[in-house]
């Protein structure tokens, strides 16, 4: 299987060959779908860098789950479904952060700075947020800081704290 000519028409075959260790097959699959997947993610999340991260994560998922892919079904809908789900999760995470920042007293200037890509306000909570955080229990404070300030995924924080 490795070293055989690559069938340029069958994504499922490329994926099967990739699971057998054929790196050129996976590279062909990536090359075939990366541009349209990045465009889809960028349209959904509105940020090119975040879209590229989403697509990279999607290809990692494809690589990890390649053996469970049903070759009788088309690859593209499965792959773009993964991209879409990751983009939706990113948008939900961003909306949740905005709600937390709004609830805990972040100034509108700080949100504008974050939107422009300057990360200073993400790492330094406002005085109102610091005061509110001091009133929380140590675990709640840690969870809030990991999600709202350090931008960790809620599922990761929950797993870390066993909640």
């Amino acid at each position: 299987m490795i070293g055989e000519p690559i069938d340029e028409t069958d994504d499922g075959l490329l994926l099967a060959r990739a699971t057998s260790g054929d790196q050129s097959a996976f590279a062909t699959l990536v090359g075939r779908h990366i541009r349209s997947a990045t465009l889809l993610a960028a349209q959904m999340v509105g940020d090119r860098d975040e879209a590229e991260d989403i697509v990279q994560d999607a290809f990692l998922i494809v690589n990890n789950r390649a053996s469970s892919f049903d070759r009788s079904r088309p690859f593209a809908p499965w792959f773009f479904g993964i991209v879409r789900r990751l983009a939706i999760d990113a948008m939900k995470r961003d909306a949740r952060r905005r709600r937390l920042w709004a609830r805990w007293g972040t100034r509108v200037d700080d949100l504008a700075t974050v939107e422009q890509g300057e990360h200073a306000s993400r790492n330094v909570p406002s005085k109102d947020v610091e005061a509110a955080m001091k009133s929380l229990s140590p675990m709640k404070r840690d969870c809030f800081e990991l999600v709202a300030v350090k931008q960790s995924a809620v599922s990761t924080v929950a797993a870390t704290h066993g909640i």
Side-chain angles (χ1 to χ4, degrees):
M1 205 169 221
I2 296 176
E4 294 177 19
I6 294 176
D7 179 357
E8 292 294 325
T9 61
D10 188 1
D11 289 340
L13 178 61
L14 288 172
L15 191 59
R17 289 178 64 172
T19 59
S20 300
D22 187 346
Q23 293 178 353
S24 65
F26 195 73
T28 300
L29 197 60
V30 169
R32 183 176 292 176
H33 296 286
I34 193 165
R35 183 169 186 262
S36 54
T38 303
L39 289 172
L40 171 64
Q43 286 175 342
M44 292 182 72
V45 299
D47 180 77
R48 175 80 179 191
D49 291 333
E50 188 170 3
E52 289 173 354
D53 290 342
I54 288 168
V55 172
Q56 181 178 357
D57 289 345
F59 277 116
L60 287 172
I61 290 169
V62 165
N63 190 44
N64 291 336
R65 297 183 185 165
S67 60
S68 66
F69 176 68
D70 179 3
R71 285 194 46 213
S72 68
R73 303 187 75 165
F75 171 80
W78 179 60
F79 174 66
F80 287 106
I82 293 169
V83 171
R84 188 173 51 78
R85 173 52 49 204
L86 290 173
I88 289 169
D89 289 348
M91 291 184 315
K92 286 179 181 177
R93 203 170 35 251
D94 186 49
R96 186 172 45 250
R97 281 191 195 108
R98 289 179 174 279
R99 284 192 309 271
L100 287 171
W101 279 112
R103 182 175 182 183
W104 293 103
T106 300
R107 298 183 323 264
V108 176
D109 306 3
D110 293 340
L111 288 176
T113 303
V114 169
E115 287 175 357
Q116 294 170 1
E118 297 173 18
H119 299 287
S121 65
R122 288 186 181 200
N123 297 326
V124 182
S126 71
K127 293 183 191 307
D128 293 335
V129 173
E130 287 177 358
M133 287 175 65
K134 287 180 182 176
S135 69
L136 296 173
S137 69
M139 186 175 88
K140 287 181 181 178
R141 183 173 47 245
D142 191 34
C143 291
F144 176 82
E145 183 177 353
L146 287 170
V147 172
V149 179
K150 306 277 187 196
Q151 303 176 14
S152 298
V154 172
S155 58
T156 303
V157 174
T160 301
H161 288 285
I163 53 175

